[in-house]
Amino acid sequence: MKDETLRQIQAIELDIATEVFRLCSKHNLRCSLVGGSAIGAIRHKGFIPWDDDIDLAMPRSDYERFVEICKTELNKSFFLQCFETEENCAFIFAKVRKNGTRLPEYYSEHINMHQGVWVDIFVYDNVSDNPKIRKREMRHLLFFRNLLIIKIG
């Protein structure tokens, strides 16, 4: 990917993240940068120069409120994509995508769904401290994720 194209994608993602944080601030929702996005913010005062995405995360209760809020308050320039808002979406987390853009991911480009530039919003769920229960929780999560994948082929 050319540096110019990468900078354009990063600028769109920053626009998306700004909208997400606007809604979170307005409704007192907890949301934070995670992964490479957090590293980039600290180490590079922005993006890691070669990074092409922004990763955010929310606790489950805030995430569920965010999904509901987006139905009426998300700026119309954006689209909240999750299995609840788009029939062919099999993600177990959400993406906020920029309408009027196209940046398909290799694993989902064949699926008939919104393919715009995105910011990922992951969910923090509580899990058990008990290893046996935690293992069962993970099996349940993988089972339901696989059902979503099977649903869309």
Side-chain angles (χ1 to χ4, degrees), residues 100-115:
T101 65
R102 182 162 170 76
L103 186 64
E105 297 172 88
Y106 71 91
Y107 60 85
S108 64
E109 63 187 341
H110 66 287
I111 299 169
N112 182 22
M113 65 180 193
H114 199 303
Q115 298 286 347

Side-chain angles (χ1 to χ4, degrees), residues 107-126:
Y107 60 85
S108 64
E109 63 187 341
H110 66 287
I111 299 169
N112 182 22
M113 65 180 193
H114 199 303
Q115 298 286 347
V117 176
W118 74 94
V119 167
D120 290 325
I121 303 178
F122 299 109
V123 183
Y124 287 137
D125 281 316
N126 291 323

Side-chain angles (χ1 to χ4, degrees), residues 126-128 130-144:
N126 291 323
V127 295
S128 175
N130 181 311
K132 287 182 181 181
I133 295 172
R134 192 170 49 242
K135 187 174 182 178
R136 186 175 65 229
E137 290 169 340
M138 180 58 99
R139 281 194 314 270
H140 282 101
L141 172 68
L142 294 175
F143 172 77
F144 288 112

Side-chain angles (χ1 to χ4, degrees), residues 28 33 48 50 52 55-56 66-68 78 80 86 90 92 103 112 132 139 147:
N28 297 315
L33 290 169
I48 295 175
W50 54 88
D52 66 351
D55 297 323
L56 304 175
F66 180 77
V67 169
E68 287 304 310
F78 307 103
L80 178 72
E86 189 167 37
I92 57 174
L103 186 64
N112 182 22
K132 287 182 181 181
R139 281 194 314 270
L147 284 179

Side-chain angles (χ1 to χ4, degrees), residues 70-86:
C70 282
K71 291 177 182 177
T72 57
E73 294 188 42
L74 184 66
N75 182 298
K76 300 300 180 211
S77 298
F78 307 103
F79 175 72
L80 178 72
Q81 181 180 55
C82 60
F83 68 87
E84 298 159 299
T85 63
E86 189 167 37

